Amino acid sequence: MSKLIGKNLKLILDGYDISGDENALTLDEMADELDSTAFGDSAHNFTLGLYQATTGINGYFNPATNRNHDRLKSLLGSNTGGVFSAFMGQGASPAIGDPAWGIIYVESKYSVNGSPPAMIATQAMLAGRGSARVANWGAVLKNGIATTNTSSTNAAVNNTAASANGGSGMLHILGAMTTGTAVIVIEHSTDDITYVTLVTFTVDGSAIAGEVQNVAAGAAVRQYVRARHTLSTTATITYAAMFWRN
């Protein structure tokens, strides 16, 4: 599939699926353009400066608990930050290997606008936070936003080749376990047979949460990457995961 329609986007903010309240998304990565034109140059010459990433999310005002207004108003002005992921379903609910974009963010803007003939609208701006790569394109590591009550290993994403500059894994717990805990890891392999742990998340499934774990710049990431979860009980858990390579 080549061209995609937006209806299969999933927007997940720190473990909360806000897709049903949003209707527009903008993902921006850029670098400052520093004019370095010197004497003798026949045209402007630019040098790239500092990198930045931002995400714009537009939607409809929903004041219900844990819906978009409840989540977005509480994040404004906090420097603690969080994780946001956009999963791009290719004609269906997002599946393993589908494109995904993630950002380690702080919320820099939240506005609400209304008029008599229109729906009350919201607009939020998330800005990248951190000294390393804070946003990137990667791949979905778990089909949809599905609930499970058994330990399982997900199918692998084949990158066609290894990479050598680290990356980041993002995890969202959307439905917490009522009893017991979960261990969720990302593994990698050279041959899709023998796997070793690449990322171990610290959140244990006992509460709704979002987390990012970084693989250091310069570290090798093997060709195949997959997510695996181990549950200590048969209580259900709902989670979504992605990984990007630097």
Side-chain angles (χ1 to χ4, degrees), residues 82-165:
V83 293
F84 170 82
S85 299
F87 291 177
M88 313 282 179
Q90 300 189 68
S93 180
I96 292 170
D98 281 350
W101 194 83
I103 184 171
I104 306 164
Y105 76 87
V106 290
E107 186 179 21
S108 58
K109 175 184 177 181
Y110 178 58
S111 60
V112 178
N113 301 283
S115 62
M119 300 289 290
I120 300 175
T122 62
Q123 182 182 50
M125 184 64 69
L126 310 180
R129 177 184 184 276
S131 58
R133 187 68 183 260
V134 295
N136 209 341
W137 286 95
V140 176
L141 294 184
K142 185 174 181 293
N143 287 329
I145 301 178
T147 298
T148 182
N149 66 350
T150 58
S151 299
S152 180
T153 300
N154 295 285
V157 174
N158 182 357
N159 191 58
T160 71
S163 55
N165 199 32

Side-chain angles (χ1 to χ4, degrees), residues 2 5 13 24-25 35 79 112 120 126 164 205 218 225 235:
S2 53
I5 58 174
L13 185 78
L25 175 70
D35 194 330
N79 277 319
V112 178
I120 300 175
L126 310 180
V225 175

